[in-house]
Amino acid sequence: FCSGVLARILVLPYPTVAALNGHAIGAGLFIALACDYRVMRTARGFVQWPEARLGMRLSKGFAELSKAKVVGGGVGGGAADRDVLREGILTARRYGSRDALVAGLIDGECPVEELYGRAFELARGKLPESGLGLDYFDPKAYSQMKVEMYTDAYRALRFGKVEDVPMSRI
């Protein structure tokens, strides 16, 4: 799986929304995490880091992406977010839509019939607010803000190698 693709998704110059219409396991979860927002269908599917169950480790880029997108996002904040990251990665827990929402892994849930419409509405609603509309929206600056927000994840995905040991510096 190409980490460079995730790095590009992470810093796209507009709001990105992942519409999860089924399972998001491993690479599917990382694609969803690279997006700014995530909406998941109810009644079917789960999100999961399966590496512990499969006897694998996370690459540096995947670990940094997980830390950037999970810590700080959960309901309750702080220690609760670290608990979600720890439990999700170290126990390979499967999160259904309700649990994923509570854990802060997704931003919304809905029936599959509403999924794509909901994702589109979420993306439109997350465009920068201004009385001037998008007249002053600068995609390059928007992308640079994302690089600044997710520096460690971006650098690890963009410049790191899968074989980099976890304690390596990029």
Side-chain angles (χ1 to χ4, degrees), residues 15 18 21-22 33 38-39 51 56 64 71 75 77 83 93-94 100 104 114 122 130 140-141 143 150 155 166:
N21 67 349
L33 288 175
R38 291 160 292 287
V39 180
E51 288 77 8
M56 300 168 61
E64 292 298 332
V71 176
V75 178
D83 290 344
R93 176 178 173 190
R94 294 177 177 184
E114 301 171 18
L122 182 59
S130 166
K140 185 175 179 181
S143 181
Y150 307 122
R155 290 185 63 196

Side-chain angles (χ1 to χ4, degrees), residues 32-163:
L33 288 175
C35 293
D36 300 315
Y37 306 97
R38 291 160 292 287
V39 180
M40 185 174 181
R41 73 179 283 180
T42 53
R44 180 177 291 166
F46 54 85
V47 296
Q48 179 190 35
W49 289 269
E51 288 77 8
R53 184 173 53 86
L54 299 174
M56 300 168 61
R57 72 171 185 84
L58 289 176
S59 71
K60 177 88 170 159
F62 292 172
E64 292 298 332
L65 178 61
S66 298
K67 290 189 290 187
K69 292 299 190 106
V70 176
V71 176
V75 178
D81 297 327
R82 286 189 302 273
D83 290 344
V84 169
L85 192 62
R86 179 176 50 219
E87 179 180 35
I89 292 173
L90 298 180
T91 70
R93 176 178 173 190
R94 294 177 177 184
Y95 292 86
S97 65
R98 174 58 46 194
D99 289 340
L101 183 63
V102 170
L105 298 173
I106 61 173
D107 300 286
E109 63 174 347
C110 63
V112 69
E113 301 82 23
E114 301 171 18
L115 184 63
Y116 297 113
R118 185 82 163 285
F120 184 76
E121 287 174 25
L122 182 59
R124 271 179 79 177
K126 296 301 181 180
L127 290 169
E129 292 184 24
S130 166
L132 304 171
L134 293 177
D135 292 341
Y136 290 97
F137 179 74
D138 182 350
K140 185 175 179 181
Y142 196 80
S143 181
Q144 289 171 338
M145 284 190 291
K146 289 183 177 185
V147 171
E148 292 164 356
M149 285 175 54
Y150 307 122
T151 301
D152 292 338
Y154 178 72
R155 290 185 63 196
L157 290 167
R158 178 83 170 88
F159 304 111
K161 297 177 183 73
V162 171
E163 62 272 6

